[in-house]
Amino acid sequence: MKLVRFGAPGQEKPGLIDQDGKLRDLSALISDIDSTLLGGAGLQQLKSLDPASLPVVNGEQRFGKPVATVGKCICVGLNYADHAAESGMEVPSEPVLFAKATSSLQGSTDVVILPPGSEKSDWEVELAVVIGKEAKNVSEADAMDHVAGLSVMNDLSERAYQIEREGQWMKGKGCDTFGPMGPYLVTTDESGDGDNRKIWLEVNGKRMQDGNTNTMVYKVPFLVSYISQFMSLQPGDVISTGTPPGVGLGFNPPIYLKEGDVMRLGIEGLGEQQQVVKL
């Protein structure tokens, strides 16, 4: 099931995409796609619906981030060996974790605005995990029982803020508009654990990242279990699982985003995004 939130910013309604690609309105049945829905019985009830019984929404629509309120967004660094190599870093013996400000999250086609003075803003297509049932010290075998679904994330990064200005990576990760997410939340009955899916990103029509999630060092079930050792994961929380090679930092010389650039990215079965870059 592909769940979406459609409409103008701050006025999104819940919906789903049916098997024919039509947008169906869920607003008469649920108030939003949020922690209450994801953490309760509501998600299972939606799966039993006949989409044909829901009204069709016609016309082009903006899709907001597919979860209304994200409590926390935990990101995994250097989770593809070839990306670690292009970054000049070793594959870590345990996952590298950092937080991305939830205020950076936005819809999949919303404009990306470079922060003041930015000269090294970069792209990162990533597989995002959305938590359903609370996860606290869960086993790897049980981890997927706590996942509501998967989505696409563009984990944009201002490299000078991230690397050159001391301290934690999150300085370069949490800028406003630096977390386009969606277009869909694809529930696990359709998405599985996201393994062995093509993952890619283009800038101005040129393919920059072209990978597969099967080369992730640490897979989704392990990451959910691992992170739940350090903090409880709540319904609606997001884990962004790392990026394959081809980021701007990895080129010689590096290539960074500038005003007017267009990013297009996607993951097999989880949909596509597109953003225009502005100052």
Side-chain angles (χ1 to χ4, degrees):
M1 183 168 55
K2 293 182 173 71
L3 296 175
V4 298
R5 299 175 63 251
F6 65 96
Q11 301 176 37
E12 293 93 346
K13 294 180 179 181
L16 64 78
I17 306 297
D18 69 16
Q19 290 186 336
D20 297 321
K22 296 178 180 178
L23 173 60
R24 302 275 181 168
D25 191 346
L26 283 169
S27 61
L29 302 177
I30 59 173
S31 60
D32 213 336
I33 299 168
D34 55 16
S35 59
T36 300
L37 176 79
L38 299 176
L43 191 59
Q44 199 60 41
Q45 291 170 356
L46 288 183
K47 291 177 182 178
S48 66
L49 281 175
D50 177 7
S53 67
L54 301 169
V56 173
V57 180
N58 294 309
E60 188 172 348
Q61 297 289 329
R62 168 193 174 267
F63 290 162
K65 65 181 188 293
V67 180
T69 303
V70 176
K72 54 184 173 287
C73 182
I74 305 299
C75 299
V76 183
L78 306 175
N79 197 27
Y80 289 72
D82 33 14
H83 171 58
E86 74 174 351
S87 302
M89 301 180 185
E90 297 290 330
V91 174
S93 58
E94 294 188 36
V96 171
L97 304 180
F98 60 91
K100 191 175 184 77
T102 57
S103 54
S104 71
L105 303 181
Q106 62 173 12
S108 59
T109 58
D110 292 346
V111 170
V112 167
I113 301 174
L114 300 181
S118 170
E119 295 182 352
K120 297 182 179 181
S121 288
D122 202 350
W123 54 84
E124 293 189 14
V125 59
E126 304 201 358
L127 173 69
V129 179
V130 178
I131 298 298
K133 184 171 65 174
E134 180 187 47
K136 186 174 184 178
N137 294 315
V138 301
S139 69
E140 186 174 350
D142 294 337
M144 290 307 297
D145 293 339
H146 298 262
V147 175
L150 305 179
S151 192
V152 182
M153 175 81 79
N154 190 352
D155 176 27
L156 287 134
S157 310
E158 214 299 339
R159 300 300 187 190
Y161 295 5
Q162 176 189 358
I163 299 169
E164 301 170 19
R165 297 191 64 174
E166 304 296 343
Q168 299 294 320
W169 286 4
M170 63 184 297
K171 287 181 182 177
K173 299 283 189 171
C175 305
D176 290 352
T177 77
F178 268 32
M181 186 178 172
Y184 319 126
L185 167 60
V186 184
T187 53
T188 54
D189 57 313
E190 184 174 331
S191 68
D193 65 4
D195 195 27
N196 197 29
R197 290 177 181 260
K198 294 177 182 178
I199 179 170
W200 55 272
L201 180 144
E202 297 174 353
V203 178
N204 300 328
K206 180 178 180 181
R207 186 65 58 102
M208 310 300 274
Q209 294 185 270
D210 197 2
N212 192 297
T213 58
N214 64 15
T215 65
M216 288 168 58
V217 178
Y218 301 107
K219 309 290 187 177
V220 169
F222 178 86
L223 290 172
V224 172
S225 173
Y226 179 83
I227 295 169
S228 78
Q229 298 174 31
F230 304 102
M231 66 197 80
S232 62
L233 294 168
Q234 302 296 326
D237 284 353
V238 172
I239 302 169
S240 200
T241 60
T243 197
V247 301
L249 175 67
F251 287 88
N252 186 16
I255 303 170
Y256 295 118
L257 294 167
K258 61 186 184 302
E259 185 174 25
D261 283 346
V262 177
M263 292 174 286
R264 183 171 164 263
L265 57 145
I267 300 175
E268 182 182 2
L270 302 181
E272 297 183 7
Q273 299 185 1
Q274 182 168 299
Q275 300 102 32
V276 176
V277 178
K278 293 189 177 180
L279 296 176

